[in-house]
């Protein structure tokens, strides 16, 4: 059964609104597209593949119907194809997303499509929250973007959703690491397909590199690169919503939805720190510094509820020029804020700290929890964005030293500059990323950064804030 014959089983895909996706689907499987002019426009090619491709890279607008398309493709690979396999071996169809919540959207669509056709429903052997096992030996599963997930398995289809937004706790380039892990698993199954489908974001990562080097290449027989805005893919999407987005933040809207057949990677987003600048201030091999008698330490807590996506993080830094980061601790959800606060308070006490700074998250509650353990909290003057901008100057001038902590360094590498809708520059983590450890470390280090204070007689000045105070009150 061809993919064109397969989609006839599902009446919704015969609607005119699906014509663009159906034409792209034809090209993926080496068929003459139902709308060749459209496919040539969204691929930039005049010579289309004459056989099924090995990789589909889709740069698409938000709301374009990508999850439904990938669900149909997953259902086709799971139920309409035969695979050679050893006795007891399973062949997998994997849906990799930035998180399980994202992946489960597509997975629910797959389950719905299978259940809607009695002949396909009859194949179901086991159905769970994250996988469906079929009697033909195929397992459809949803996974987070973990490099360990594909190992030891054979994949007929691997779908990577929102590749421009993949988070990872240890890798600065999570998309690259994930693809390195997936490709050997695909190589075990003849006729397998890698489908990377994402909205564009910054000009970095595998999605951007493939678009830059592969869009419009007629000679590429194994890879198809498609670029299409929301309305091209889904003409039923609200034009009013797109117009609103362009009024409020044109740069964001151009990469989120696109317009007039065009969708763009953002040119106004850039990394805050260079790799060379970071490497120059990392104490290689030092994961933590013990308390030192006679050395003043400063502390900061970046709080969280314990039940959301954010972690709670604390950091301790020693006064000096350079200021030395001594300790970073992170509590990942879910956790009990009361227990985490008690543990954090003990760390601060071990370093002789009785007063810390905190961010603006629920300050009354955080102050109350720490007060129970003898720690006084004061709210940091700078917001997180301003703190990171000041940290940049401290790193570039080598006024601080960092610990060789993988989570901290990953978060620092992924910090980015971007304008908000009003044009003001903001610094923070990328979408679906985290900067909890980085924010805690930055605040502690800037408190301890003696080098940023300029002494003039009996006064001390901070050249970044323009504030002056008696030297005795500066510390």
């Amino acid at each position: 059964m061809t993919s064109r014959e397969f989609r006839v089983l599902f009446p919704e895909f015969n609607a005119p609104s699906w014509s663009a996706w159906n034409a792209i689907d034809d090209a993926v499987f080496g068929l003459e597209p139902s709308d060749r002019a459209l496919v040539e426009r969204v691929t930039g090619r005049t010579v289309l593949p004459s056989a099924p491709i090995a990789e589909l890279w889709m740069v698409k607008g938000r709301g374009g119907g990508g999850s439904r398309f990938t669900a149909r493709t997953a259902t086709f690979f799971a139920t309409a194809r035969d695979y050679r396999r050893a006795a007891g071996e399973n062949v997998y169809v994997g849906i990799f997303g930035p998180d399980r919540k994202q992946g489960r959207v597509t997975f629910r669509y797959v389950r719905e499509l299978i259940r809607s056709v009695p002949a396909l429903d009859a194949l179901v052997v086991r159905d769970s929250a994250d996988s469906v096992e079929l009697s033909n030996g195929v397992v459809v599963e949803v996974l987070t973007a973990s490099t360990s997930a594909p190992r030891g398995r054979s994949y007929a289809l691997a779908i990577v959703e929102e590749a421009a937004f993949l988070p990872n706790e240890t890798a600065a380039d999570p998309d690259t690491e994930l693809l390195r892990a997936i490709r050997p698993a695909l190589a075990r199954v003849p006729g397998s397909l890698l489908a990377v489908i994402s909205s564009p974001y910054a000009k970095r990562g595998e999605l951007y590199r493939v678009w830059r080097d592969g869009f419009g290449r007629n000679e590429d027989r194994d890879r198809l690169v498609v670029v299409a805005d929301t309305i091209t893919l889904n003409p039923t999407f609200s034009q009013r919503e797109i117009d609103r987005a362009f009024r409020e933040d044109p740069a964001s809207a151009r990469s989120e939805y696109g317009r007039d057949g065009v969708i763009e990677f953002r040119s106004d987003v850039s990394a805050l720190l260079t790799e060379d600048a970071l490497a120059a201030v990392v104490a290689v091999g030092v994961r933590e510094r013990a308390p030192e008698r006679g050395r003043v330490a400063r502390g900061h807590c970046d709080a969280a509820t314990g039940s959301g996506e954010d972690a709670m993080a604390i950091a301790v830094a020693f006064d000096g020029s350079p200021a030395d980061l001594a300790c970073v601790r992170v509590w990942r959800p879910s956790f009990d804020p009361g227990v985490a606060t008690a543990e954090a308070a003990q760390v601060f006490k071990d370093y002789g700290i009785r007063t810390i700074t905190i961010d603006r998250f629920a300050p009354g509650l955080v102050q109350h929890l720490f007060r129970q353990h003898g720690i006084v909290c004061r709210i940091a003057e700078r917001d997180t964005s301003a703190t990171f901008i000041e940290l940049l100057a401290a790193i570039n001038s080598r006024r601080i030293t960092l610990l060789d902590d993988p989570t901290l360094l990953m978060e620092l590498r992924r910090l980015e500059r971007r304008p908000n809708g009003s044009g003001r520059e903001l610094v923070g983590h990328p979408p679906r990323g985290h900067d909890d450890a980085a924010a805690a470390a930055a605040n502690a280090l800037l408190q301890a950064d003696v080098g940023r204070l300029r002494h003039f007689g009996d006064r001390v000045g901070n050249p970044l804030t323009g504030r002056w105070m008696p030297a005795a009150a500066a510390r």
Side-chain angles (χ1 to χ4, degrees):
M1 179 182 292
T2 68
S3 62
R4 182 179 290 169
E5 295 167 334
F6 181 76
R7 66 183 181 241
V8 173
L9 298 174
F10 310 99
E12 71 169 290
F13 297 117
N14 298 319
S17 61
W18 282 96
S19 60
W21 284 111
N22 291 338
I24 293 167
D25 186 65
D26 290 339
V28 168
F29 291 99
L31 305 174
E32 179 61 26
S34 54
D35 187 339
R36 185 180 181 91
L38 180 142
V39 175
E40 289 181 351
R41 174 162 59 84
V42 299
T43 62
R45 296 172 59 154
T46 56
V47 179
L48 300 179
S50 57
I53 59 170
E55 295 188 5
L56 168 66
W57 290 75
M58 185 88 191
V59 183
K60 54 87 180 174
R62 181 180 179 184
S67 293
R68 294 293 284 178
F69 171 76
T70 54
R72 186 181 75 188
T73 305
T75 306
F76 173 69
F77 271 84
T79 64
R81 306 185 81 184
D82 294 322
Y83 305 102
R84 295 195 308 270
R85 57 191 182 88
E89 180 188 17
N90 287 320
V91 172
Y92 289 83
V93 170
I95 304 166
F96 297 84
D99 51 49
R100 287 190 181 276
K101 182 178 180 181
Q102 170 72 33
R104 281 173 177 159
V105 172
T106 301
F107 180 71
R108 284 195 295 270
Y109 290 153
V110 172
R111 180 188 284 121
E112 173 193 315
L113 292 174
I114 292 175
R115 294 297 192 187
S116 69
V117 179
L120 304 185
D121 189 29
L123 297 174
V124 177
V125 174
R126 190 173 293 105
D127 189 350
S128 68
D130 294 322
S131 67
V132 172
E133 183 177 346
L134 306 178
S135 59
N136 61 2
V138 177
V139 177
V140 183
E141 61 180 1
V142 58
L143 308 99
T144 54
S146 167
T147 57
S148 62
R151 298 186 185 280
R153 295 184 174 181
S154 301
Y155 278 89
L157 171 67
I159 299 168
V160 180
E161 296 192 319
E162 298 302 341
F165 306 98
L166 295 183
N168 193 287
E169 298 304 324
T170 58
D173 300 309
D175 54 343
T176 301
E177 297 300 322
L178 178 62
L179 292 171
R180 285 175 180 169
I182 286 176
R183 282 194 169 104
L186 288 165
R188 299 188 182 102
V189 180
S192 61
L193 175 67
L194 170 65
V196 181
I197 300 184
S198 177
S199 301
Y201 187 56
K203 292 184 176 180
R204 61 169 183 258
E206 294 296 324
L207 187 73
Y208 171 69
R209 284 190 285 271
V210 169
W211 167 81
R212 181 192 64 195
D213 300 335
F215 181 71
R217 287 187 57 179
N218 284 313
E219 68 276 13
D220 199 337
R221 298 181 179 180
D222 293 327
R223 175 185 287 173
L224 192 66
V225 182
V226 178
V227 181
D229 67 309
T230 297
I231 293 298
T232 294
L233 298 172
N234 180 13
T236 68
F237 193 85
S238 170
Q239 184 63 53
R240 178 182 297 178
E241 173 61 21
I242 294 175
D243 293 341
R244 182 201 60 78
F246 270 90
R247 287 193 303 271
E248 293 182 356
D249 190 342
S252 176
R254 283 194 294 269
S255 69
E256 192 162 56
Y257 298 110
R259 177 179 276 177
D260 299 328
V262 177
I263 191 164
E264 303 175 2
F265 287 85
R266 294 189 66 157
S267 58
D268 58 347
V269 175
S270 60
L272 177 69
L273 299 162
T274 67
E275 190 63 37
D276 288 344
L278 269 179
V281 297
V282 173
V284 178
V286 180
R287 298 292 292 270
E288 189 163 312
R289 293 183 171 94
E292 296 182 24
R293 183 182 297 274
R295 195 168 187 193
V296 177
R298 312 285 173 173
H300 181 85
C301 175
D302 191 82
T305 64
S307 58
E309 296 183 357
D310 290 335
M312 171 176 157
I314 65 169
V316 174
F318 289 128
D319 278 8
S321 185
D324 295 323
L325 188 61
C327 169
V328 176
R329 301 284 174 83
V330 178
W331 289 262
R332 302 200 180 284
S334 58
F335 61 86
D336 183 327
V339 173
T341 302
E343 294 172 351
Q346 187 57 55
V347 173
F348 290 134
K349 290 177 181 179
D350 290 343
Y351 284 88
I353 299 172
R354 292 295 185 273
T355 300
I356 65 169
T357 56
I358 59 174
D359 61 1
R360 292 176 171 83
F361 172 80
L365 174 61
V366 176
Q367 288 170 325
H368 171 71
L369 291 174
F370 273 108
R371 191 183 303 119
Q372 292 179 328
H373 302 283
I375 301 294
V376 176
C377 302
R378 57 184 178 84
I379 301 173
E381 293 183 0
R382 296 174 296 268
D383 63 22
T384 301
S385 179
T387 298
F388 285 140
I389 291 173
E390 192 166 339
L391 180 69
L392 171 65
I395 288 176
N396 287 342
S397 59
R398 302 188 185 183
R399 301 197 315 267
I400 64 160
T401 62
L402 298 169
L403 296 172
D404 195 356
D405 180 287
T407 297
L408 170 65
L409 296 179
M410 182 277 295
E411 290 185 1
L412 290 171
R413 288 187 180 103
R414 301 196 77 199
L415 290 176
E416 58 186 29
R417 299 174 181 263
R418 59 181 180 274
N420 63 8
S422 62
R424 178 188 171 220
E425 182 180 72
L426 299 176
V427 175
H429 60 74
R432 295 192 175 94
H434 297 280
D435 58 15
D436 313 288
N443 276 282
L445 281 165
L446 291 176
Q447 292 180 68
D449 178 16
V450 175
R452 74 187 178 94
L453 301 178
R454 293 179 180 173
H455 289 258
F456 290 85
D458 61 351
R459 293 191 306 163
V460 173
N462 183 337
L464 292 171
T465 65
R467 294 185 178 182
W468 299 88
M469 67 192 79
R475 304 255 46 98

